[in-house]
Amino acid sequence: MSRRGENIRKRKDGRWEGRYSAYEPQSQKNVVHSIYAKSYSEVKEKLSAAKMDTQYMSKIRKCAGDVPFYLVADKWLATVKSTKKHATFIKYRFIYQKHIKEKMENLVLAKLNEDILSQIFQNENNEVLSDSVQKSISCVMNQILSYAASNYHTEKIRYSNQRQKTGNKPVEIFSQTEQTRLLHHLYDGMDVFKLGIVICISTGLRLGEICALKWQDIDLERKMLHVNSTVQRITMDGKETRTVLLEGEPKSVYSKREIPLSDELVKLIFPYYKNAGKYVLHNNKPLDPRTYQNKFRKYLLATDIGHKNFHSLRHTFATNYINSGADIKSLSEILGHSDVKITLNRYVHPTIETKRQHMNSLAAIYGQYLGHELP
């Protein structure tokens, strides 16, 4: 039986139980909590402390509700700047300033909920945003909201992007005919720049990775290539030029990887390995990716191949790798992906020849069922 007004009672198992209610942000309701102790005095002391904590958090939450959203976002960006890669900070800041700041700057934390957020981002003047940008907006918004919940003790809410997806653009790969023409052009009058393109279509390196590749990253004896860095042109505060070329670690921890080299590629690299500078493509400094993209376009122009993005080399490598009969897990590790689902969904593009081969194999199986070979 509980003692009057205290919400404390002795249970049948001999323990004392005290109950109190506290606001739960997830359910947005007051929820009853229980505290247990071996004696009445002990549970009373614990219950009193829990109630004081609940009252304190309620006051904090009420005060925090008046904090402007932009102030929380600024503090979150400062944290990102000090803990993440500079390129990540630049990307997040760009997304916030271009797609979030103006819509949220007059709101305070207390006024936010999931319905309001949906209404705010639903009206974007018929602006068509790619799936990638929409995903980035959701990522930044939810990180800011999570920061607010953790540091200002506000209700934890999430922004769910309900906009119509535009659909990912189909990724182009080089056809067999285009690969033949391109490789003939690269092998004819081979130089270090043409070699770099062959390395990319043979290993799946990204543009920034080949531009930052050093000779010390290539072990011809072990026939191994190590991806240890990448280079990209990004905005840098306080610099005279609008952007600077920045060399850093690869895209993710999984991007830092080892890639086996074929015997043919080792033979091709060997003549350039001796007496080489620091970087494969540009002696003592990484090559600007824009410069290499321009060279790549010239190679395509010389072979009468239509416009293709440099990244098509990576997709072509992945397609050829799978079509050769290799397993998806090996490909995923070579490409530096964190999950094989990324590899399957974005980088595996079976050719019509491969599909036809599988259809013929299926027909052969049906022929065996019938007891004869189909014509």
Side-chain angles (χ1 to χ4, degrees):
M1 181 175 179
S2 63
R3 301 202 178 189
R4 183 169 297 183
E6 291 185 329
N7 283 329
I8 297 176
R9 71 185 184 94
K10 190 171 185 179
R11 294 163 51 93
K12 292 181 178 180
D13 60 7
R15 292 184 301 166
W16 288 84
E17 178 186 7
R19 292 186 175 185
Y20 71 100
S21 66
Y23 180 79
E24 189 177 78
Q26 292 181 343
S27 63
Q28 298 184 13
K29 296 179 180 178
N30 284 324
V31 177
V32 175
H33 298 267
S34 293
I35 289 178
Y36 302 96
K38 294 180 179 180
S39 65
Y40 166 77
S41 58
E42 185 181 357
V43 79
K44 185 176 181 179
E45 184 179 345
K46 287 184 176 181
L47 186 60
S48 177
K51 288 180 178 179
M52 288 182 63
D53 286 343
T54 300
Q55 293 172 0
Y56 173 75
M57 292 301 296
S58 179
K59 291 179 181 179
I60 291 293
R61 191 176 293 110
K62 186 175 181 180
C63 294
D66 297 327
V67 175
F69 179 86
Y70 76 84
L71 181 62
V72 179
D74 288 343
K75 289 183 176 296
W76 170 76
L77 280 171
T79 301
V80 172
K81 187 175 183 179
S82 62
T83 58
K84 304 289 185 180
K85 294 180 183 178
H86 185 72
T88 302
F89 164 70
I90 293 297
K91 178 183 177 181
Y92 285 172
R93 186 178 66 176
F94 172 79
I95 292 294
Y96 171 71
Q97 292 179 344
K98 184 172 177 62
H99 299 287
I100 298 175
K101 184 176 181 180
E102 186 176 346
K103 297 178 178 67
M104 301 291 296
E105 62 183 354
N106 295 324
L107 293 175
V108 295
L109 296 182
K111 295 286 183 70
L112 298 182
N113 59 51
E114 294 179 3
D115 291 336
I116 289 177
L117 292 178
S118 295
Q119 293 174 10
I120 290 173
F121 287 93
Q122 185 175 345
N123 304 315
E124 296 192 345
N125 300 321
N126 297 321
E127 184 181 8
V128 178
L129 300 177
S130 68
D131 293 345
S132 176
V133 172
Q134 293 182 46
K135 185 177 179 181
S136 295
I137 293 173
S138 295
C139 174
V140 171
M141 273 299 302
N142 285 318
Q143 288 198 47
I144 296 174
L145 293 170
S146 179
Y147 180 86
S150 298
N151 294 274
Y152 293 85
H153 307 290
T154 58
E155 299 175 20
K156 190 169 184 179
I157 58 178
R158 285 188 62 79
Y159 164 61
S160 179
N161 193 334
Q162 299 297 330
R163 296 191 55 188
Q164 183 69 33
K165 291 188 176 182
T166 60
N168 294 323
K169 293 182 179 179
V171 177
E172 291 186 330
I173 64 171
F174 289 88
S175 67
Q176 291 184 1
T177 301
E178 290 171 336
Q179 291 180 59
T180 300
R181 292 210 300 265
L182 179 60
L183 288 172
H184 275 293
H185 179 73
L186 296 175
Y187 274 74
D188 183 20
M190 176 73 73
D191 59 23
V192 72
F193 299 114
K194 289 184 174 181
L195 172 64
I197 302 298
V198 175
I199 291 176
C200 286
I201 202 172
S202 302
T203 62
L205 288 188
R206 301 178 176 94
L207 174 60
E209 292 170 346
I210 186 65
C211 289
L213 186 65
K214 302 178 181 69
W215 286 113
Q216 68 181 29
D217 297 327
I218 300 176
D219 188 341
L220 293 184
E221 186 175 344
R222 293 182 59 235
K223 300 178 182 179
M224 197 72 71
L225 185 152
H226 302 266
V227 180
N228 292 315
S229 58
T230 188
V231 64
Q232 57 185 318
R233 184 165 286 281
I234 62 173
T235 303
M236 185 71 76
D237 297 333
K239 297 291 182 180
E240 294 181 5
T241 55
R242 188 166 165 273
T243 60
V244 297
L245 201 63
L246 184 67
E247 182 180 2
E249 292 189 347
K251 187 176 180 181
S252 68
V253 293
Y254 298 96
S255 296
K256 206 166 186 178
R257 59 200 188 277
E258 287 186 336
I259 302 176
L261 299 175
S262 67
D263 294 340
E264 172 65 24
L265 197 53
V266 168
K267 291 178 183 177
L268 204 61
I269 294 173
F270 182 76
Y272 300 90
Y273 195 84
K274 212 170 183 180
N275 301 320
K278 183 177 180 181
Y279 292 86
V280 173
L281 297 181
H282 205 217
N283 293 325
N284 295 316
K285 61 180 181 179
L287 183 66
D288 190 325
R290 295 184 302 187
T291 300
Y292 206 34
Q293 280 180 315
N294 290 333
K295 285 185 176 293
F296 177 63
R297 292 190 189 100
K298 290 179 181 179
Y299 298 151
L300 298 183
L301 187 63
T303 52
D304 293 324
I305 298 175
H307 171 75
K308 278 185 172 59
N309 192 286
F310 195 96
H311 210 64
S312 296
L313 293 168
R314 181 170 163 87
H315 283 267
T316 301
F317 160 75
T319 300
N320 290 340
Y321 191 86
I322 290 298
N323 288 346
S324 69
D327 65 283
I328 192 68
K329 178 61 176 175
S330 296
L331 174 62
S332 183
E333 293 182 358
I334 288 174
L335 292 177
H337 291 158
S338 60
D339 194 327
V340 293
K341 292 180 182 178
I342 299 174
T343 313
L344 277 170
N345 293 335
R346 299 181 188 173
Y347 285 87
V348 177
H349 315 283
T351 63
I352 192 66
E353 291 83 3
T354 301
K355 294 174 183 176
R356 183 176 289 110
Q357 180 181 349
H358 290 319
M359 295 298 281
N360 287 331
S361 298
L362 182 62
I365 292 175
Y366 292 158
Q368 292 177 6
Y369 292 161
L370 293 170
H372 65 275
E373 293 184 2
L374 293 178

